[in-house]
Amino acid sequence: KYKGFNTIIIAGMGGSAIGGDIAASIMTEVSDIPVCVTRNYTLPKFVNTKTLVIAISYSGNTEETLSIFEEARKIGAKIISISSGGRLEKISADSRIPFLKISGGLQPRAALPVLLFSLLKLIDALGIISGLKEQMDETISILESKQKIYGIGSNYKNNDAKKLSLKLQGRIPVILGSTGGIDAACMRWKTQLNENSKTTALYNVFPELNHNELVNLSQLKNGGHMFSLIILRDKYENERIKLRIEITKKLLSDSFGNIYEYFSEGESKLARILSLVYLGDFVSTYL
């Protein structure tokens, strides 16, 4: 029943959608099945009976995701749902839709690990891509080592999360990254700063930002604004992206003075994305 789909939609909001963004960036790199994330009440017009719709809502009560579920059911798309319970569990049972129940009791934004890893295990079980277990194992190992560095008991001098959080006090972070996965980390930084730190944050990605946002950022007068510039880097950036970032740093140095740069760690795409996400989560909590 769940073989033969030719497109994938991951439907969710907030932390559920971020997990979808990360999974989609991994799949897009290695799978020939188109995949997209939708944060909406309605499905794209191309969705049909050969589309796999994965509906994710941590609470199970997110109204946009429930709306997508009902529309997908009427269309006859193949559906799998993921939540900790709520209405999504009930309507999945009533419709005999495969349902993956995950542990509850967390703030949705703190549930990213269980949402993302459950989604990846599902993708692995469906045979869409291979090698996910190795990616997950590497990621867990890297995050466990980083916890010792970023954790609350870690010495300030060696803790990038603590140091950056102090520098961001009273500032508006502008977070720049690149397409292809690091953009998901940028979005996560923004939303975590919004929710945990209760502060405004902005983000944009290379190469698109060079075609517009470079103009306004370069016009800022150093010391005369409340913005702080953060660049999230991927160790395997496209060479042209790498060149663009270096040129951009030179063009913006007069506007910002200090530019804070952080590089991803690990070999797999999952590890590289989550190594940056993890840093941002700690920064937002300390801030």
Side-chain angles (χ1 to χ4, degrees):
K1 181 179 178 181
Y2 281 81
K3 302 295 181 184
F5 50 85
N6 55 24
T7 53
I8 300 172
I9 297 284
I10 303 173
M13 302 297 298
S16 302
I18 289 287
D21 288 334
I22 296 170
S25 69
I26 294 169
M27 286 190 282
T28 300
E29 193 174 70
V30 295
S31 173
D32 56 4
I33 300 176
V35 56
C36 67
V37 178
T38 181
R39 295 168 164 85
N40 205 346
Y41 285 91
T42 58
L43 287 164
K45 184 66 175 175
F46 66 76
V47 171
N48 56 36
T49 57
K50 291 188 176 181
T51 303
L52 173 63
V53 177
I54 304 174
I56 310 178
S57 164
Y58 183 63
S59 67
N61 296 314
T62 308
E63 64 173 283
E64 297 93 336
T65 309
L66 293 173
S67 175
I68 290 280
F69 180 98
E70 290 296 346
E71 185 179 354
R73 189 175 60 81
K74 290 176 182 176
I75 291 171
K78 304 175 193 301
I79 309 170
I80 300 174
S81 52
I82 302 174
S83 83
S84 64
R87 179 157 174 75
L88 188 58
E89 180 179 17
K90 183 180 185 306
I91 61 178
S92 297
D94 291 345
S95 305
R96 296 188 177 182
I97 298 295
F99 172 76
L100 178 59
K101 185 164 186 172
I102 56 178
S103 56
L106 298 171
Q107 285 285 350
R109 62 187 180 273
L112 175 62
V114 70
L115 287 165
L116 172 58
F117 275 57
S118 297
L119 176 58
L120 293 174
K121 296 272 279 187
L122 174 61
I123 291 165
D124 187 51
L126 288 167
I128 299 169
I129 59 175
S130 60
L132 279 175
K133 184 182 185 303
E134 291 76 12
Q135 291 204 44
M136 289 189 278
D137 288 345
E138 182 196 20
T139 301
I140 291 168
S141 176
I142 287 174
L143 298 193
E144 284 177 340
S145 67
K146 287 297 177 185
Q147 194 278 333
K148 297 172 185 174
I149 298 172
Y150 302 148
I152 196 164
S154 171
N155 187 286
Y156 168 82
K157 292 181 179 179
N158 302 317
N159 191 325
D160 283 339
K162 288 182 178 179
K163 287 192 285 188
L164 181 59
S165 68
L166 284 176
K167 292 170 182 174
L168 293 181
Q169 283 189 308
R171 314 289 294 180
I172 298 175
V174 179
I175 305 145
L176 308 183
S178 56
T179 55
I182 304 304
D183 45 354
C186 292
M187 177 69 166
R188 173 69 173 184
W189 273 61
K190 176 199 178 300
T191 58
Q192 289 291 79
L193 287 163
N194 293 158
E195 291 197 270
N196 291 337
S197 314
K198 317 297 187 266
T199 190
T200 296
L202 310 172
Y203 87 97
N204 207 335
V205 293
F206 294 93
E208 173 64 23
L209 72 88
N210 287 139
H211 295 263
N212 36 66
E213 189 141 12
L214 184 60
V215 179
N216 57 289
L217 293 180
S218 64
Q219 295 303 304
L220 296 173
K221 304 299 181 186
N222 190 13
H225 60 81
M226 299 300 291
F227 298 104
S228 289
L229 189 64
I230 301 165
I231 304 180
L232 304 184
R233 305 288 302 269
D234 187 6
K235 64 187 291 187
Y236 292 125
E237 286 163 350
N238 177 284
E239 288 302 314
R240 297 298 297 177
I241 294 291
K242 189 178 297 184
L243 180 60
R244 283 180 176 274
I245 292 174
E246 293 306 319
I247 293 172
T248 299
K249 284 161 53 182
K250 291 178 182 177
L251 292 172
L252 297 182
S253 60
D254 288 342
S255 299
F256 286 92
N258 291 329
I259 297 175
Y260 308 109
E261 251 184 319
Y262 301 95
F263 282 82
S264 65
E265 297 186 35
E267 293 301 313
S268 67
K269 173 154 280 190
L270 180 63
R272 295 187 336 254
I273 296 171
L274 286 188
S275 68
L276 291 172
V277 165
Y278 201 55
L279 171 60
D281 278 16
F282 273 101
V283 169
S284 69
T285 304
Y286 289 133
L287 183 59

